[in-house]
Amino acid sequence: MVSIMVAGYPSKINAAQQIVKLLVLSLVVILSFMGCSDPEDPISKDPVQNLQPAENPLKSKKKVLLVSSYHLEYSWTSGITDAILRKFDATIDAEGRIDNTGSKVVVEIINMDTKRNPAVESIQQAALLVKNYIEKWQPDLVITTDDNAAKYVIVPYFKNSSLPFVFCGVNWDASEYGFPVANVTGMIEVQLVDQIIANLSKFAKGDRIAFLKGDDFSARKEAVFFEQRFNLKLIKKFVTSFDEWQKQYQLLQNEADIILVGNTISIPDWDHDKALQLVHQVTEVPTGNWDEFMKQFSLLTLATKAEEQGEWAAETSLRILNGISPSKIPIVKNHIAKIYLNLKLALTRLALQ
């Protein structure tokens, strides 16, 4: 199901009616991406067999460790985490304490915090701590979110082991990690970049496409896959500070015809209010992105849903804990996106033309 949300000022809608109308009409093609899983997907044909809440004491329940690549304050991470816990009937409080009293399984969480600590040495150290904890706690299954946990925890320590893993949020392709293997399955994360570009091209003066994002592993992986998958040559700008982001955003108004605005989580001194002010002051080219929390900073957002990743990971984990081998569950991709049109920014662009 597709939701269209228009952010802006209704009193000025006539001024931007044409740009919004064209965007809405052209977005119809996106419907082909949405809907149910592939008919041949065993998960679609074989409903999830939920575990029943344990009648025995808490210690008799299966143990599941959730390993997040990032930090819980990051909305993508919190969206996946909340969805997983809901499916397990567990709860978490503001301090991160988990209540497993009524849950189907016993859940514990480790956040690797690699967005804010992106150095390879830091990631490897965090991965080693996860490995040691797994060996000490001995969970029955591990869920990992996003690329760093897959690359630095599963691959070097647990690939082809007897411990089952379910990953989610891995960008675009898991084959670079050698997945699938007997003990690993998961859901990859894909973005509708081709649809974003196709729609923004209607309002662009040329075909130069820029990619602006905080400098981290997933950002560089995304850029490479965008270029390879969609036959693009991107103007790539990876930044490590807010000043650098502001500078590059302004320069790209003349150097690019479309700007893909990636998320800014790995920029430590990010200033939301100043960035929003700058965007409305200097934007002259159409912009797009795929993160819901970045919708204020671009004309068009086709947002992937963290909840879809988390729900699938939890449901798949319950299937495995009920006896289905990970090797029998194919790797899938997300099928849900939410559309946002930023009317306020559309009006800004019309005023500049």
Side-chain angles (χ1 to χ4, degrees), residues 32-60:
S32 63
F33 176 80
M34 311 301 171
C36 298
S37 300
D38 188 276
E40 297 303 317
D41 181 358
I43 294 177
S44 300
K45 296 187 291 186
D46 183 11
V48 173
Q49 303 175 26
N50 290 323
L51 289 175
Q52 296 301 314
E55 299 293 334
N56 298 323
L58 194 62
K59 64 181 181 179
S60 69

Side-chain angles (χ1 to χ4, degrees), residues 107-180:
V107 188
E108 290 200 11
I109 298 176
I110 296 179
N111 298 301
M112 294 175 66
D113 202 9
T114 63
K115 275 286 188 189
R116 297 184 295 197
N117 300 282
V120 172
E121 295 80 5
S122 296
I123 299 174
Q124 291 173 333
Q125 183 178 10
L128 183 58
L129 291 174
V130 172
K131 169 190 176 285
N132 292 338
Y133 190 81
I134 289 173
E135 292 175 346
K136 177 181 178 181
W137 193 50
Q138 296 187 338
D140 297 286
L141 180 143
V142 179
I143 299 174
T144 67
T145 71
D146 299 290
D147 281 84
N148 285 336
K151 180 178 181 179
Y152 292 96
V153 176
I154 302 177
V155 172
Y157 300 124
F158 298 102
K159 188 176 175 182
N160 286 313
S161 71
S162 60
L163 179 62
F165 280 78
V166 176
F167 68 78
C168 61
V170 166
N171 288 297
W172 285 98
D173 185 12
S175 64
E176 67 179 286
Y177 306 132
F179 303 155

Side-chain angles (χ1 to χ4, degrees), residues 71-86:
H71 53 287
L72 197 55
E73 293 78 14
Y74 177 25
S75 61
W76 174 258
T77 297
S78 63
I80 292 177
T81 301
D82 290 345
I84 290 172
L85 294 178
R86 281 196 303 273

Side-chain angles (χ1 to χ4, degrees), residues 88-325:
F88 287 157
D89 293 330
T91 60
I92 187 170
D93 64 19
E95 283 71 43
R97 292 187 294 262
I98 301 170
D99 184 355
N100 289 302
T101 304
S103 65
K104 298 177 176 74
V105 296
V106 176
V107 188
E108 290 200 11
I109 298 176
I110 296 179
N111 298 301
M112 294 175 66
D113 202 9
T114 63
K115 275 286 188 189
R116 297 184 295 197
N117 300 282
V120 172
E121 295 80 5
S122 296
I123 299 174
Q124 291 173 333
Q125 183 178 10
L128 183 58
L129 291 174
V130 172
K131 169 190 176 285
N132 292 338
Y133 190 81
I134 289 173
E135 292 175 346
K136 177 181 178 181
W137 193 50
Q138 296 187 338
D140 297 286
L141 180 143
V142 179
I143 299 174
T144 67
T145 71
D146 299 290
D147 281 84
N148 285 336
K151 180 178 181 179
Y152 292 96
V153 176
I154 302 177
V155 172
Y157 300 124
F158 298 102
K159 188 176 175 182
N160 286 313
S161 71
S162 60
L163 179 62
F165 280 78
V166 176
F167 68 78
C168 61
V170 166
N171 288 297
W172 285 98
D173 185 12
S175 64
E176 67 179 286
Y177 306 132
F179 303 155
V181 293
N183 69 315
V184 180
T185 189
M187 173 178 276
I188 62 172
E189 177 194 355
V190 299
Q191 294 88 24
L192 294 178
V193 174
D194 55 337
Q195 305 290 356
I196 293 172
I197 293 172
N199 285 282
L200 295 180
S201 294
K202 297 174 175 62
F203 314 104
K205 296 178 180 179
D207 57 4
R208 299 171 299 171
I209 302 171
F211 179 88
L212 175 62
K213 192 173 182 180
D215 192 0
D216 57 45
F217 173 75
S218 64
R220 292 182 178 271
K221 182 182 178 182
E222 278 180 342
V224 169
F225 272 97
F226 293 170
E227 290 186 317
Q228 294 176 345
R229 187 67 59 91
F230 304 117
N231 193 27
L232 300 173
K233 179 60 178 177
L234 296 174
I235 303 168
K236 297 184 286 291
K237 303 292 183 181
F238 303 106
V239 300
T240 58
S241 70
F242 181 57
D243 284 344
E244 191 178 359
W245 188 92
Q246 292 182 97
K247 177 182 177 181
Q248 292 298 334
Y249 188 83
Q250 293 183 74
L251 290 173
L252 288 174
Q253 305 306 315
N254 296 315
E255 297 175 1
D257 302 299
I258 292 173
I259 304 174
L260 301 176
V261 185
N263 72 61
T264 56
I265 298 301
S266 59
I267 300 176
D269 58 343
W270 176 253
D271 190 314
H272 177 278
D273 294 336
K274 287 184 179 179
L276 198 58
Q277 182 179 18
L278 178 71
V279 164
H280 287 288
Q281 286 177 343
V282 307
T283 298
E284 297 184 21
V285 300
T287 54
N289 86 92
W290 46 92
D291 287 305
E292 185 172 4
F293 64 92
M294 292 291 292
K295 62 183 180 291
Q296 292 177 287
F297 299 97
S298 63
L299 178 65
L300 172 64
T301 301
L302 303 184
T304 51
K305 298 297 293 179
E307 291 78 12
E308 181 185 12
Q309 300 277 337
E311 289 171 1
W312 186 91
E315 290 169 352
T316 300
S317 297
L318 292 175
R319 288 164 57 86
I320 293 170
L321 291 173
N322 269 333
I324 299 176
S325 170

